[in-house]
Amino acid sequence: GSPMRLLLYLATHLSDDHAACLTCWPAMLAHAPLLRTADVLVYAGGPAAAVPAARLSWQSIVNALPNRNATIFFSVFNPGYQDGAKYAMHVALTSGWFDAYEGGV
């Protein structure tokens, strides 16, 4: 059969803490062969998504990941905290972003 496709889906409100954490991922993924083969999709929701410098910085962080397919989706809308995380899942599910992956809905 065809190889299993995995997606790492991350949601952020574009905080400095989240950026620092994601910056460490390339080193971490060096020790996680299965996760290195996964596609990465980052949902970046919040007012900072409208700031060109923030978008450029976050795009650079995602581009530095060792994964072959790493993408960031920007949205200025974020209802905050848990509601923001739920909204990021809602967008992914209703947009069909998980459909092509193992266990996709």
Side-chain angles (χ1 to χ4, degrees):
S2 51
M4 178 173 53
R5 291 191 64 201
L6 296 175
L7 175 68
L8 296 175
Y9 184 58
L10 309 168
T12 179
H13 62 280
L14 302 160
S15 71
D16 291 341
D17 288 341
H18 289 181
C21 180
L22 198 54
T23 301
C24 295
W25 273 52
M28 181 198 68
L29 290 174
H31 304 287
L34 180 62
L35 295 181
R36 269 197 319 273
T37 67
D39 292 344
V40 177
L41 177 55
V42 178
Y43 180 92
V51 179
R55 290 173 67 106
L56 185 61
S57 176
W58 274 89
Q59 186 67 62
S60 295
I61 291 168
V62 171
N63 289 348
L65 295 173
N67 304 72
R68 184 176 52 83
N69 181 14
T71 306
I72 188 164
F73 175 85
F74 291 101
S75 172
V76 295
F77 180 73
N78 186 337
Y81 299 101
Q82 275 189 315
D83 288 338
K86 290 177 188 175
Y87 185 74
M89 286 300 296
H90 168 77
V91 170
L93 289 167
T94 58
S95 299
W97 292 349
F98 301 144
D99 292 353
Y101 295 93
E102 191 67 23
V105 288

